[in-house]
Amino acid sequence: MHKIAKLIVDSRKLIMIIFLAAALLSVYTSTLTVVEDDLNRFLPEDTETRQGLAAMEGEFITYATAKVMVRDISLDDAGRLAQDIQATDGIKSVTFDDTEHHYKDGCALFDVTFAGGVDDEISAEALAALRELVSGAGDTEIYTEVGMDLTKDIVNDMIYVGILVVIIVTALLLLTSRSYAEVPVLVITFVAAAVLQLGTNFIFESISFVSNAVTLILQLALAIDYAVILCNRFAEEKQHLGQYDAMVEALAKAIPEISSSSLTTIGGLIAMTFMQFGLGGDLGKVLIKSIIFSMLSVFLLMPGLLMVFGKAIEKTKHRSFIPRIDAVGRFAWKTRKILPPVFICIALVSLYFANRIPLSYNYRDAYPVRLNDSQVSRIQIVETFGESNTMALVVPSGDYETEAKMLDEIAAKEHVTSVLGIASVEAIDGYRLGDKLTIGEFSELAGLDNVTASALFAYYAARNSDYDLVEGDLRQYKIPLIDLFMFLYDTAESGDIELDKDKLDMIEELYAQLTDAKAQLQGRHYSRMLIYCDTAVQSDESYALIEEIHAVAESYYGDDVYVTGDATASRDLDMFFSQDSLMVSVLSALFVVAIIIFTFRSFGLAVLLIAVIQGSIWLNFSIPYFTGDPIFFVGYLIVSAIQMGANIDYAIVVSNRYLTLRGQRFSRRKAVTGALNGALPTLITSGSILAIAGLLIGLLTSEATTSGIGIALGRGTFISLLLVLFVLPQMLIWGDKFIRKTRFSRKRHLRVPPRFAGDFEAVAREQKSQQSE
């Protein structure tokens, strides 16, 4: 390690030039990152949602929609407003009637379909015109995804959060550092690591909008300690060595220390990569990369910066602002026999409630603390008109008659309010597009003479190779109405048949409508049917209805059918949650236990530390049970892993100091007091940064997943800090003999590389202070 450290210090100027060049390159490569906005893309490929989306890929056009609610409006005025909306450029259709689905308690609800997709300019222009139109109609709410740029909104939120976090972190570092000039060194080191992190995300095929948003702030919170460790080491060595030798010695000691301490955090993140829901793996791999870049920045760049700022660091030294907490040590000693069993009971009770918290699997129903205008509108609409959701049934295309029969059967199901399919659309005089017509029926419907209609049927049969029917009785030959009108338009356009202007205008208008309907509902291989329901997306009724729709569709088409939509995605996520939750909890705990046993060589200590942190996780997630606030399931899984991997280090730093003092023949009472006083600066710096960063993310972003992760992580870190300060000391005293009895090697000197600074000089000073007392 000394050779490596000397090489790094000697090459510091070259390394700083390389980091500068890499940072400049990263500014460009950061623009190459592909950000995925759709959480459904992270579902396992064998889920019905992913299979259905794959079947629909490239088959259909999906138009943007909006729900518009107008309060205090009469039914007649609402009807006239619907006509005005329909006449607006860029709006394809408006659905409104006098049923409770669209008019209730003086409120009107209009289902609007735009003429373009969510990201099309025509939809954005139509939305602007729609807002202006309904603004004069009264109090309105508009919910739509048109004009929403999720990634852009989150990035803007995170810039604001990031500025606040930097200000708070700087203040904390000024409070806990030994010199004011250390702060710019720490900031530059982190900025370098952050820029390199952003600039290398392009190596992944894509990353989620969640990872893109929160990684930098979590990177700061999780990895700032690495820089603090080297800073403290350098300050210690400079007390008896020159600047160069002190830097080499500090780096040689810090490299294994930081590398070992990062393993607990990486272990928790590795557990996330085993989740079946790909968002966990996505965030896990990006955060692991961020920690690696943080370590590289500390190992390679920071030594040069400390040398450059060496004189300024000496000139700006200040006294410590961290108070002593001897009272906490006295409290730990007095409650050593009472608090551990009480805590165990509380932890087990928390486990019961944590397993019963309200979880949300539907992204649209997961709301952040800070609601944006669109989310407020959706809540208001649901409160007035109740829950509703749309399912898409995807089946092999081509058989309109079968589609019509199937849709009639589905429409009769409970909770189904309406269905829409190419075969069920009513066209003219009660006929549906999927109905098959004879020559006589079509002649009467289209206003064609019998000779022209017969010629058209014969031409159609010949075109479709139905030669046996051409030679037989054409009067019995039946063709689907939609195919007839499409074929009639083609033959009229090619000049093979002549029609008068009125009929040609009618057919051209109908052709435009049919082409539009086919683009939405009929592809080359599959047909898509929309099923409108009055059930909540995440509900047993919706899940049961999915099974009923499957049963009906499979009776006509076999297994090649898919039901997609928010309800299906929620059901798929619900199915995987139990497995992912258990796996994340077990793996993160096993990784951390293995690391603790390897470093501390005590099975008993590993049990005590895991008990405290796992208890903090259960306490954290029992709170939503009592508040009744649903938590998006992703937040539960991700925070469980991060809290175990990162917060365990708070327990390690206290335990390390306690065991070190016990090894120096201190009594349990004095050892626990000294450990708490020695660990407090570290806990305040690291724990406060992670807790504050998490809470700021949760409170200030309007994206539900990011907000849920932030709130749960900030709250969980705060709980972990409280337990480490007010419960872990009692657990260490209570289990002191258990720890010693389960040591693997009693003769070997205990040398633990703590995550935070490893300030053994402070321990020595604490020892002298305790002895004098």
Side-chain angles (χ1 to χ4, degrees):
M1 282 301 157
H2 279 83
K3 291 181 180 179
I4 294 174
K6 190 175 186 302
L7 176 63
I8 292 172
V9 175
D10 289 341
S11 308
R12 60 187 181 277
K13 293 182 180 179
L14 175 62
I15 290 173
M16 293 172 74
I17 293 173
I18 292 173
F19 262 83
L20 179 61
L24 293 175
L25 179 62
S26 294
V27 173
Y28 165 72
T29 56
S30 63
T31 62
L32 305 178
T33 302
V34 177
V35 180
E36 179 59 65
D37 290 341
D38 186 2
L39 289 181
N40 288 332
R41 297 293 180 184
F42 296 95
L43 282 166
E45 292 186 359
D46 59 350
T47 58
E48 184 169 15
T49 298
R50 284 293 300 275
Q51 291 175 347
L53 291 174
M56 291 189 293
E57 192 78 35
E59 291 270 320
F60 311 103
I61 293 176
T62 300
Y63 292 109
T65 61
K67 286 185 177 292
V68 181
M69 184 177 75
V70 180
R71 298 184 181 89
D72 301 324
I73 186 172
S74 68
L75 184 59
D76 292 339
D77 288 342
R80 285 188 288 271
L81 181 58
Q83 295 175 1
D84 293 339
I85 295 174
Q86 179 70 72
T88 303
D89 291 340
I91 291 181
K92 185 173 290 295
S93 65
V94 178
T95 303
F96 175 76
D97 53 40
D98 59 356
T99 65
E100 285 196 351
H101 298 296
H102 291 101
Y103 190 80
K104 183 179 180 182
D105 300 330
C107 296
L109 180 64
F110 306 92
D111 290 315
V112 179
T113 301
F114 296 98
V118 171
D119 299 322
D120 292 342
E121 185 176 350
I122 189 173
S123 299
E125 292 175 352
L127 177 61
L130 176 63
R131 291 187 186 279
E132 184 177 353
L133 175 64
V134 301
S135 63
D139 189 10
T140 61
E141 301 288 351
I142 299 178
Y143 173 73
T144 180
E145 293 184 359
V146 173
M148 292 178 60
D149 189 338
L150 190 60
T151 301
K152 181 180 178 181
D153 291 343
I154 297 176
V155 169
N156 290 336
D157 287 344
M158 289 303 106
I159 290 174
Y160 178 55
V161 172
I163 292 172
L164 290 178
V165 170
V166 168
I167 293 173
I168 293 171
V169 168
T170 302
L172 285 171
L173 290 176
L174 289 172
L175 182 69
T176 58
S177 66
R178 304 182 185 192
S179 168
Y180 295 121
E182 289 177 353
V183 175
V185 173
L186 298 174
V187 172
I188 294 172
T189 302
F190 173 75
V191 169
V195 172
L196 294 178
Q197 155 64 19
L198 276 177
T200 52
N201 282 333
F202 75 94
I203 66 175
F204 303 120
E205 183 178 348
S206 65
I207 64 172
S208 69
F209 64 88
V210 177
S211 299
N212 189 54
V214 304
T215 297
L216 289 185
I217 297 174
L218 291 182
Q219 179 184 7
L220 170 61
L222 292 172
I224 191 68
D225 312 304
Y226 306 152
V228 173
I229 289 174
L230 183 57
C231 236
N232 288 344
R233 278 291 185 192
F234 183 55
E236 292 167 19
E237 300 301 333
K238 281 183 68 177
Q239 293 179 6
H240 52 85
L241 293 173
Q243 179 169 279
Y244 177 86
D245 292 332
M247 190 70 259
V248 172
E249 187 68 21
L251 187 58
K253 293 178 179 178
I255 289 176
E257 203 168 277
I258 294 170
S259 301
S260 298
S261 65
S262 68
L263 289 178
T264 54
T265 304
I266 292 176
L269 297 176
I270 289 175
M272 289 167 52
T273 65
F274 287 91
M275 287 171 53
Q276 296 180 78
F277 185 53
L279 183 61
D282 178 80
L283 187 56
K285 69 186 181 185
V286 176
L287 280 174
I288 289 172
K289 180 166 68 69
S290 74
I291 289 176
I292 291 173
F293 274 115
S294 295
M295 288 193 294
L296 289 176
S297 297
V298 170
F299 295 159
L300 301 177
L301 177 63
M302 192 172 173
L305 293 174
L306 286 172
M307 298 281 284
V308 171
F309 282 83
K311 292 182 179 179
I313 292 173
E314 286 296 324
K315 292 180 180 179
T316 58
K317 284 184 177 180
H318 60 79
R319 66 179 182 83
S320 174
F321 298 107
I322 304 299
R324 292 180 60 84
I325 52 172
D326 293 348
V328 178
R330 291 193 293 270
F331 171 78
W333 179 255
K334 292 179 180 179
T335 58
R336 66 190 184 280
K337 296 181 180 179
I338 302 172
L339 210 52
V342 171
F343 166 72
I344 292 173
C345 293
I346 293 175
L348 293 176
V349 172
S350 299
L351 170 62
Y352 174 84
F353 290 116
N355 286 330
R356 286 159 177 78
I357 61 172
L359 291 168
S360 175
Y361 302 100
N362 177 31
Y363 179 74
R364 287 180 176 82
D365 286 339
Y367 295 110
V369 176
R370 186 175 71 86
L371 299 172
N372 58 33
D373 293 340
S374 180
Q375 291 161 340
V376 171
S377 294
R378 186 173 190 276
I379 292 172
Q380 294 294 325
I381 291 171
V382 170
E383 288 180 351
T384 304
F385 288 92
E387 296 280 3
S388 65
N389 77 84
T390 304
M391 302 179 189
L393 173 61
V394 182
V395 301
S397 64
D399 190 345
Y400 298 118
E401 190 173 8
T402 301
E403 288 180 16
K405 289 180 181 178
M406 180 185 65
L407 283 175
D408 287 341
E409 191 172 341
I410 292 174
K413 294 291 182 183
E414 186 182 6
H415 298 302
V416 175
T417 57
S418 64
V419 296
L420 176 63
I422 197 73
S424 67
V425 175
E426 188 171 333
I428 305 173
D429 294 344
Y431 285 105
R432 299 188 299 185
L433 291 178
D435 292 343
K436 290 185 175 182
L437 277 66
T438 63
I439 292 174
E441 291 169 333
F442 182 69
S443 175
E444 181 181 353
L445 178 65
L448 299 175
D449 61 82
N450 196 57
V451 175
T452 303
S454 297
L456 182 68
F457 268 60
Y459 193 19
Y460 180 91
R463 278 282 191 91
N464 289 275
S465 302
D466 289 339
Y467 299 110
D468 55 335
L469 293 173
V470 173
E471 295 173 357
D473 186 1
L474 273 176
R475 290 175 298 179
Q476 303 302 319
Y477 185 36
K478 292 186 175 183
I479 306 174
L481 178 59
I482 184 173
D483 291 344
L484 274 170
F485 274 113
M486 299 291 284
F487 186 71
L488 179 59
Y489 174 83
D490 290 339
T491 53
E493 281 288 298
S494 63
D496 294 336
I497 188 172
E498 292 187 3
L499 300 172
D500 59 52
K501 188 176 185 307
D502 291 341
K503 289 187 176 60
L504 188 59
D505 290 343
M506 179 196 72
I507 290 172
E508 286 179 347
E509 182 180 349
L510 185 59
Y511 175 80
Q513 297 175 4
L514 294 177
T515 301
D516 183 58
K518 291 190 73 171
Q520 296 180 73
L521 302 172
Q522 187 179 48
R524 293 180 58 192
H525 307 97
Y526 290 95
S527 290
R528 177 170 64 178
M529 294 150 223
L530 303 180
I531 302 166
Y532 300 94
C533 320
D534 61 5
T535 58
V537 169
Q538 184 180 320
S539 65
D540 292 337
E541 291 81 5
S542 286
Y543 300 160
L545 184 58
I546 292 172
E547 297 303 320
E548 293 179 27
I549 293 171
H550 255 291
V552 173
E554 289 172 3
S555 68
Y556 289 95
Y557 291 97
D559 294 336
D560 193 17
V561 298
Y562 307 98
V563 180
T564 65
D566 290 340
T568 307
S570 296
R571 184 201 60 177
D572 291 342
L573 294 171
D574 193 355
M575 291 170 56
F576 287 111
F577 172 76
S578 297
Q579 300 174 36
D580 278 348
S581 177
L582 180 62
M583 182 170 57
V584 167
S585 298
V586 171
L587 287 180
S588 57
L590 286 177
F591 284 139
V592 172
V593 165
I595 293 166
I596 294 174
I597 290 177
F598 177 76
T599 54
F600 281 91
R601 300 180 180 275
S602 171
F603 174 78
L605 183 63
V607 171
L608 293 179
L609 297 189
I610 289 295
V612 172
I613 300 303
Q614 188 62 64
S616 74
I617 294 174
W618 292 337
L619 280 168
N620 183 21
F621 288 113
S622 66
I623 292 175
Y625 175 87
F626 296 102
T627 61
D629 298 323
I631 179 172
F632 196 42
F633 80 104
V634 174
Y636 183 97
L637 295 174
I638 290 176
V639 173
S640 294
I642 294 179
Q643 191 175 346
M644 175 60 75
N647 291 180
I648 194 72
D649 292 323
Y650 309 150
I652 287 177
V653 67
V654 174
S655 303
N656 172 50
R657 291 179 180 277
Y658 174 80
L659 293 179
T660 301
L661 292 172
R662 286 288 288 150
Q664 296 173 356
R665 305 300 181 184
F666 275 73
S667 67
R668 290 181 297 167
R669 181 176 182 176
K670 291 184 177 181
V672 80
T673 302
L676 287 170
N677 280 312
L680 186 61
T682 297
L683 298 182
I684 289 179
T685 304
S686 179
S688 298
I689 290 174
L690 186 55
I692 292 171
L695 291 175
L696 284 176
I697 291 173
L699 295 174
L700 298 180
T701 181
S702 59
E703 196 284 312
T705 307
T706 309
S707 175
I709 292 173
I711 289 290
L713 184 59
R715 184 181 61 216
T717 301
F718 181 72
I719 293 172
S720 296
L721 285 174
L722 288 179
L723 293 185
V724 167
L725 288 172
F726 296 102
V727 173
L728 177 63
Q730 290 88 327
M731 297 286 283
L732 292 173
I733 297 171
W734 188 52
D736 186 87
K737 184 178 293 186
F738 178 52
I739 295 171
R740 287 186 286 108
K741 293 290 185 182
T742 55
R743 285 266 302 279
F744 299 147
S745 176
R746 300 185 184 182
K747 294 181 179 179
R748 184 172 178 175
H749 176 65
L750 180 66
R751 188 181 71 85
V752 183
R755 177 182 170 110
F756 310 101
D759 188 357
F760 289 101
E761 292 288 337
V763 173
R765 290 193 298 271
E766 191 68 37
Q767 179 183 6
K768 293 179 180 178
S769 174
Q770 296 279 358
Q771 288 173 342
S772 65
E773 291 176 2

